[in-house]
Amino acid sequence: MARPRIVVVGAGFAGVACVRRLERTLSPGEAEILLVTPFSYQLYLPLLPQVASGVLTPQSVAVSLRRSRRHRTRIVPGGAVGIDTRAKVCVVRKITGELVDQPYDHLVLAPGSVTRTFDIPGLTEHGRGMKTLAEAAHLRDHVIAQLDLADAAAPGSAERASRLGFVVVGGGYAGTETAASLERLTTNALGRYPRLDRREISWHLVDVAAKLMPELGDRLGQAALDVLRRRGIEVSLGLSVAKAGPEDVTLTDGRVLPCRTLIWTAGVAASPLVATLGAETAKSGRLVVAPDLRVPGADGVFALGDAAAVPDLAGGADGGGAGGGNSGGGGAGSVCPPTAQHAHRQGKVAADNLVATLRGTPLRPYSHKDLGLVVDLGGRDGVSRPLGIDLRGMPAQAVARGYHWAALRTGAAKTRVLTNWLLNAVAGDDFVRTGFQTYKPGTLRDFEYTDHYLTPEEVRARTAAGEGS
């Protein structure tokens, strides 16, 4: 008798936690485990701003999936682009571009999220994201390139003003940490650019919300705002971008800011893969799931992480959590926020429920009360709320870095990150462009491949053809 085949889609916090739990719980004869992912690493997303600023190297936050001693999961190198729950087929676009059909008996959907964009003129052509490792590495190159080119431009010129104008949209964790980290990069670089003046560099953080990181609460939110303004970052709340151009950004209040670096971190939406199922979705396109993480009406399918609207049974979630994301709130009818803390624990529950399904034992609902949140603002600054205790400054940053370091899954990753932190603290930054992507624009449309997915009709036609052959 053939072993049941479990296909896990996505190698983020949820998918990797699920796979590792399955490897430790199931014997080799109980099931075959496949992991569909274009890269054989888990990206530690909360530390991405430190990659963009050069504090950490890209390899530090790319945690290998092949270092586990229990490793027996088959990695399928590609991305899932369509699901047919009736035929129980996952359509995979391999890294070669080839489409293949991957049958499954049980499916775990943890494809994560993509950057949420809006119909703003020029946004996809000129905006830059902070969702992938490639985007962070490219953004660092781009920012340093602007300093190099501004240094060569005439003082007082429009070119110099636009190259030294930086706008970050999104006052959540990702946007705030990115602005704070990259502002430090440009400030620290001034000693290497004697022709540039600090007053010429302009950093602007924009968000439609009335408060910065409202999930922090008023006191910590104000503390973070004070840190940013003390560093010279202008923060505009209650606003967004009306239009983006190659050399300037127009805000909704009519102001036109010289800018060749627009960083867009205004929230996330569920992976486009979710739309191919034809299942019920909630806010931001997340799949509606039962408390035990099963997708109603889809036999053998579990969904979790950023792609799923998981009921918040614990209630009273702080909404932030390490790893960022938007608040899901607490109380009746609320869902868990899309944070690393919840995704990791949901992965374990999904694995336990898969094992229970295979062994014919009861499934259990997911319930976890948020343990707090951490925000690293670089230097000696941070704001954190571990277990409901408000911290700021060095203690908050120590808690933030300690949490992230402990959460790294392998000893190799822990060693690399700690070494990078120590080296940066002692030796400072190196303002070097790698030049790997010199001739690519590196905008939002270049990295997340949201146009690679099939339509539900294309998925059904493909699986129907396979059944008839």
Side-chain angles (χ1 to χ4, degrees):
M1 183 176 177
R3 294 177 298 167
R5 177 176 293 149
I6 299 173
V7 175
V8 179
V9 174
F13 288 98
V16 171
C18 180
V19 165
R20 293 300 181 233
R21 186 82 150 210
L22 290 172
E23 288 180 332
R24 286 165 170 75
T25 307
L26 293 174
S27 66
E30 285 186 277
E32 178 187 8
I33 308 171
L34 285 72
L35 177 61
V36 178
T37 174
F39 308 109
S40 59
Y41 63 78
Q42 175 192 359
L43 174 62
Y44 193 84
L45 195 64
L47 292 177
L48 215 50
Q50 296 189 38
V51 173
S53 65
V55 174
L56 297 176
T57 62
Q59 189 181 8
S60 302
V61 300
V63 185
S64 173
L65 298 176
R66 299 186 184 274
R67 295 189 69 95
S68 171
R69 294 180 180 179
R70 296 176 182 266
H71 173 71
R72 59 183 175 85
T73 297
R74 177 157 66 91
I75 295 177
V76 180
V81 295
I83 305 291
D84 188 336
T85 57
R86 181 186 57 83
K88 288 198 167 186
V89 169
C90 174
V91 183
V92 178
R93 190 185 300 275
K94 297 175 68 174
I95 58 175
T96 59
E98 174 191 5
L99 287 177
V100 297
D101 294 341
Q102 180 58 66
Y104 66 84
D105 296 298
H106 304 277
L107 178 66
V108 178
L109 289 176
S113 56
V114 296
T115 301
R116 182 178 59 189
T117 57
F118 302 94
D119 189 19
I120 297 173
L123 175 59
T124 57
E125 293 84 1
H126 305 294
R128 299 169 185 275
M130 265 292 289
K131 198 78 174 63
T132 69
L133 190 58
E135 283 177 311
H138 195 286
L139 182 58
R140 174 176 167 78
D141 264 20
H142 170 79
V143 169
I144 296 175
Q146 300 316 299
L147 297 178
D148 289 343
L149 293 166
D151 186 60
S157 66
E159 179 186 356
R160 179 177 278 207
S162 65
R163 294 199 182 280
L164 296 180
F166 303 91
V167 176
V168 180
V169 181
Y173 299 98
T176 302
E177 289 187 332
T178 297
S181 298
L182 287 174
E183 185 278 331
R184 278 183 54 80
L185 171 68
T186 56
T187 298
N188 293 339
L190 289 175
R192 307 293 195 276
Y193 294 89
R195 283 168 44 86
L196 299 182
D197 189 294
R198 172 68 185 88
R199 291 168 294 183
E200 295 180 287
I201 299 178
S202 168
W203 277 94
H204 208 121
L205 179 62
V206 179
D207 192 70
V208 295
K211 299 178 181 179
L212 185 69
M213 293 187 290
E215 301 90 344
L216 284 170
D218 289 345
R219 286 187 300 175
L220 288 185
Q222 185 61 46
L225 184 61
D226 291 343
V227 169
L228 298 184
R229 287 178 169 163
R230 186 176 72 242
R231 293 184 186 175
I233 299 175
E234 185 173 351
V235 180
S236 295
L237 301 174
L239 300 175
S240 188
V241 170
K243 182 175 64 174
E247 298 181 11
D248 57 47
V249 168
T250 304
L251 301 184
T252 51
D253 65 355
R255 280 182 292 168
V256 179
L257 307 177
C259 169
R260 298 200 191 199
T261 307
L262 171 62
I263 305 170
W264 184 266
T265 63
V268 296
S271 166
L273 178 65
V274 166
T276 70
L277 275 75
E280 182 183 358
T281 58
K283 185 179 179 180
S284 298
R286 300 165 75 186
L287 278 168
V288 171
V289 298
D292 59 13
L293 306 179
R294 288 184 294 182
V295 178
D299 182 39
V301 180
F302 293 79
L304 49 153
D306 288 6
V310 179
D312 180 16
L313 300 184
D318 288 326
N326 298 323
S327 174
S334 65
V335 298
C336 298
T339 65
Q341 185 179 146
H342 281 287
H344 178 76
R345 287 167 173 81
Q346 287 166 13
K348 292 182 176 181
V349 171
D352 291 343
N353 285 344
L354 267 170
V355 173
T357 300
L358 293 174
R359 296 176 179 175
T361 57
L363 280 62
R364 67 184 177 96
Y366 172 76
S367 180
H368 168 68
K369 186 173 178 59
D370 206 306
L371 298 178
L373 49 87
V374 295
V375 181
D376 187 342
L377 297 175
R380 299 181 177 182
D381 294 313
V383 287
S384 300
R385 183 185 289 155
L387 302 174
I389 302 171
D390 287 358
L391 299 174
R392 62 190 72 186
M394 278 288 287
Q397 196 205 55
V399 168
R401 293 200 172 186
Y403 174 87
H404 291 316
W405 184 84
L408 290 165
R409 194 171 44 79
T410 68
K414 285 179 165 58
T415 301
R416 289 193 183 100
V417 166
L418 184 58
T419 301
N420 282 181
W421 279 339
L422 292 173
L423 182 62
N424 183 263
V426 173
D429 298 307
D430 282 321
F431 308 100
V432 175
R433 287 184 288 120
T434 61
F436 290 152
Q437 298 164 314
T438 302
Y439 300 105
K440 285 185 65 65
T443 53
L444 281 166
R445 62 168 46 170
D446 295 309
F447 287 108
E448 297 192 31
Y449 308 108
T450 53
D451 59 345
H452 279 37
Y453 293 85
L454 304 181
T455 65
E457 293 74 23
E458 288 172 329
V459 175
R460 309 298 179 264
R462 180 181 178 84
T463 54
E467 291 171 354
S469 61

Coordinates of all heavy atoms in Angstrom, one line a residue, residues 265-310:
T265 N 6.0 49.6 2.0 CA 5.8 48.6 3.0 C 4.4 48.7 3.7 O 4.3 48.4 4.8 CB 6.9 48.6 4.1 OG1 6.8 49.9 4.8 CG2 8.3 48.5 3.6
A266 N 3.5 49.1 2.8 CA 2.1 49.4 3.4 C 1.2 48.2 3.4 O 0.2 48.1 2.8 CB 1.5 50.5 2.5
G267 N 1.7 47.2 4.2 CA 0.9 46.0 4.5 C 1.1 44.9 3.5 O 1.8 45.0 2.5
V268 N 0.4 43.8 3.8 CA 0.5 42.6 2.9 C -0.8 42.0 2.6 O -1.8 42.4 3.2 CB 1.4 41.5 3.7 CG1 2.8 41.9 3.9 CG2 0.7 41.1 5.0
A269 N -0.9 41.2 1.6 CA -2.1 40.5 1.2 C -1.7 39.0 1.0 O -0.5 38.7 0.7 CB -2.7 41.1 -0.1
A270 N -2.7 38.2 1.1 CA -2.4 36.7 1.0 C -1.9 36.4 -0.4 O -2.2 37.1 -1.4 CB -3.7 35.9 1.3
S271 N -1.1 35.4 -0.5 CA -0.5 34.9 -1.7 C -1.6 34.7 -2.8 O -2.7 34.3 -2.5 CB 0.2 33.6 -1.5 OG 0.5 33.0 -2.8
P272 N -1.4 35.1 -4.0 CA -2.4 34.9 -5.1 C -2.7 33.4 -5.3 O -3.8 33.2 -5.9 CB -1.6 35.4 -6.3 CG -0.7 36.5 -5.8 CD -0.2 35.9 -4.5
L273 N -2.0 32.5 -4.7 CA -2.3 31.1 -4.8 C -3.7 30.8 -4.2 O -4.4 29.9 -4.6 CB -1.2 30.3 -4.1 CG -1.5 28.8 -4.1 CD1 -1.4 28.2 -5.5 CD2 -0.4 28.1 -3.2
V274 N -4.0 31.6 -3.1 CA -5.3 31.4 -2.4 C -6.5 31.5 -3.4 O -7.5 30.7 -3.3 CB -5.4 32.4 -1.3 CG1 -6.8 32.4 -0.7 CG2 -4.4 32.0 -0.1
A275 N -6.4 32.4 -4.3 CA -7.5 32.7 -5.2 C -7.8 31.5 -6.1 O -8.9 31.4 -6.7 CB -7.3 33.9 -6.0
T276 N -6.8 30.6 -6.3 CA -7.0 29.5 -7.3 C -7.9 28.4 -6.7 O -8.3 27.5 -7.4 CB -5.7 28.9 -7.7 OG1 -5.0 28.2 -6.7 CG2 -4.8 30.0 -8.2
L277 N -8.1 28.4 -5.4 CA -8.9 27.3 -4.7 C -10.4 27.5 -4.9 O -11.1 26.5 -4.8 CB -8.6 27.3 -3.2 CG -7.4 26.4 -2.8 CD1 -6.1 27.2 -3.1 CD2 -7.4 26.1 -1.3
G278 N -10.8 28.8 -5.1 CA -12.2 29.0 -5.1 C -12.9 28.9 -3.8 O -14.1 28.7 -3.7
A279 N -12.2 29.0 -2.7 CA -12.7 28.8 -1.3 C -13.0 30.2 -0.8 O -12.6 31.2 -1.3 CB -11.7 28.1 -0.4
E280 N -13.7 30.2 0.4 CA -14.1 31.5 1.0 C -12.9 32.1 1.6 O -12.0 31.5 2.2 CB -15.1 31.2 2.1 CG -15.6 32.5 2.8 CD -16.5 32.2 4.0 OE1 -16.8 31.0 4.2 OE2 -17.0 33.2 4.6
T281 N -12.8 33.5 1.4 CA -11.7 34.2 1.9 C -12.2 35.4 2.8 O -13.4 35.8 2.7 CB -10.8 34.9 0.8 OG1 -11.7 35.7 0.0 CG2 -10.2 33.8 -0.1
A282 N -11.3 35.9 3.6 CA -11.6 37.0 4.5 C -10.8 38.2 4.1 O -10.4 38.3 3.0 CB -11.4 36.6 6.0
K283 N -10.6 39.1 5.1 CA -9.8 40.3 4.9 C -8.5 40.0 4.3 O -7.8 39.1 4.6 CB -9.7 41.1 6.2 CG -9.0 42.4 6.1 CD -9.0 43.1 7.4 CE -8.3 44.5 7.3 NZ -8.2 45.1 8.6
S284 N -8.1 40.9 3.3 CA -6.8 40.7 2.6 C -6.6 39.4 1.9 O -5.5 39.0 1.6 CB -5.6 40.9 3.6 OG -5.6 42.2 4.2
G285 N -7.7 38.8 1.6 CA -7.7 37.6 0.7 C -7.3 36.3 1.5 O -7.0 35.3 0.8
R286 N -7.2 36.3 2.8 CA -6.8 35.2 3.5 C -7.9 34.1 3.6 O -9.1 34.4 3.7 CB -6.4 35.6 5.0 CG -5.3 36.6 5.0 CD -5.2 37.2 6.4 NE -4.6 36.4 7.3 CZ -4.5 36.6 8.6 NH1 -4.9 37.8 9.1 NH2 -3.9 35.8 9.5
L287 N -7.5 32.8 3.5 CA -8.5 31.7 3.5 C -9.2 31.6 4.8 O -8.5 31.7 5.9 CB -7.8 30.4 3.2 CG -7.5 30.1 1.7 CD1 -6.5 28.9 1.6 CD2 -8.8 29.8 1.0
V288 N -10.5 31.5 4.8 CA -11.2 31.2 6.0 C -11.0 29.7 6.4 O -11.1 28.8 5.6 CB -12.7 31.4 5.8 CG1 -13.6 30.9 7.0 CG2 -13.0 32.9 5.5
V289 N -10.6 29.5 7.6 CA -10.3 28.2 8.1 C -11.0 27.9 9.4 O -11.4 28.9 10.2 CB -8.8 27.9 8.3 CG1 -8.0 28.0 7.0 CG2 -8.2 28.9 9.3
A290 N -11.2 26.6 9.8 CA -11.7 26.3 11.0 C -10.7 26.4 12.1 O -9.5 26.5 11.8 CB -12.2 24.8 11.0
P291 N -11.0 26.4 13.4 CA -10.0 26.5 14.5 C -9.0 25.4 14.4 O -7.8 25.7 14.9 CB -10.9 26.4 15.7 CG -12.2 26.9 15.4 CD -12.4 26.4 13.9
D292 N -9.3 24.3 13.8 CA -8.2 23.2 13.7 C -7.4 23.4 12.4 O -6.6 22.5 12.1 CB -8.9 21.8 13.8 CG -9.9 21.6 12.7 OD1 -9.9 22.4 11.7 OD2 -10.6 20.6 12.8
L293 N -7.6 24.5 11.7 CA -6.8 24.9 10.6 C -7.2 24.2 9.3 O -6.5 24.4 8.2 CB -5.2 24.7 10.8 CG -4.7 25.4 12.1 CD1 -3.2 25.1 12.2 CD2 -4.9 26.9 12.0
R294 N -8.3 23.4 9.3 CA -8.7 22.8 8.0 C -9.5 23.9 7.2 O -10.2 24.7 7.8 CB -9.6 21.6 8.3 CG -8.8 20.4 8.8 CD -9.7 19.2 9.0 NE -10.6 19.4 10.1 CZ -11.5 18.4 10.4 NH1 -11.5 17.3 9.8 NH2 -12.4 18.7 11.4
V295 N -9.5 23.7 5.9 CA -10.2 24.6 5.0 C -11.6 23.9 4.7 O -11.6 22.8 4.2 CB -9.5 24.8 3.7 CG1 -10.3 25.7 2.7 CG2 -8.1 25.4 3.9
P296 N -12.7 24.6 5.1 CA -14.0 24.0 4.9 C -14.3 23.7 3.5 O -14.0 24.5 2.6 CB -15.0 25.0 5.5 CG -14.1 25.8 6.4 CD -12.7 25.9 5.8
G297 N -14.8 22.5 3.2 CA -15.1 22.1 1.8 C -14.0 21.6 1.0 O -14.2 21.3 -0.2
A298 N -12.8 21.6 1.5 CA -11.6 21.2 0.7 C -11.0 20.0 1.5 O -10.3 20.1 2.5 CB -10.6 22.3 0.6
D299 N -11.3 18.8 1.0 CA -10.8 17.6 1.7 C -9.3 17.5 1.8 O -8.6 17.6 0.8 CB -11.3 16.4 0.9 CG -11.0 15.0 1.5 OD1 -11.0 15.0 2.8 OD2 -10.6 14.1 0.8
G300 N -8.8 17.3 3.0 CA -7.4 17.1 3.2 C -6.6 18.3 3.2 O -5.3 18.2 3.1
V301 N -7.2 19.5 3.2 CA -6.4 20.8 3.0 C -6.4 21.6 4.3 O -7.4 21.8 4.9 CB -7.0 21.7 1.9 CG1 -6.2 23.0 1.8 CG2 -7.0 20.9 0.6
F302 N -5.2 21.9 4.8 CA -5.0 22.8 5.9 C -4.4 24.1 5.4 O -3.6 24.1 4.4 CB -4.0 22.2 6.9 CG -4.6 21.0 7.6 CD1 -4.6 19.7 7.0 CD2 -5.1 21.0 8.9 CE1 -5.1 18.6 7.6 CE2 -5.6 19.9 9.6 CZ -5.6 18.7 8.9
A303 N -4.7 25.2 6.0 CA -4.1 26.5 5.7 C -3.7 27.3 6.9 O -4.4 27.2 8.0 CB -5.1 27.3 4.8
L304 N -2.6 28.0 6.9 CA -2.1 28.6 8.1 C -1.2 29.8 7.7 O -0.9 30.0 6.5 CB -1.3 27.6 8.9 CG -0.3 26.7 8.3 CD1 0.8 26.3 9.3 CD2 -1.0 25.5 7.7
G305 N -0.7 30.5 8.7 CA 0.2 31.6 8.4 C -0.5 32.8 7.8 O -1.7 33.0 8.0
D306 N 0.3 33.6 7.0 CA -0.3 34.8 6.4 C -1.4 34.5 5.4 O -2.2 35.4 5.1 CB 0.8 35.6 5.7 CG 1.8 36.2 6.6 OD1 1.7 36.0 7.8 OD2 2.7 36.9 6.1
A307 N -1.5 33.3 4.9 CA -2.5 33.0 3.9 C -3.8 32.6 4.5 O -4.8 32.4 3.8 CB -2.0 31.8 3.0
A308 N -3.9 32.5 5.8 CA -5.2 32.0 6.5 C -5.7 32.9 7.5 O -4.9 33.5 8.3 CB -4.9 30.6 7.1
A309 N -7.0 33.1 7.6 CA -7.7 33.8 8.6 C -8.0 32.9 9.8 O -9.1 32.3 9.9 CB -8.9 34.5 8.1
V310 N -7.0 32.7 10.6 CA -7.1 31.7 11.7 C -7.9 32.3 12.9 O -7.4 33.4 13.4 CB -5.8 31.2 12.2 CG1 -5.9 30.2 13.3 CG2 -5.0 30.5 11.0

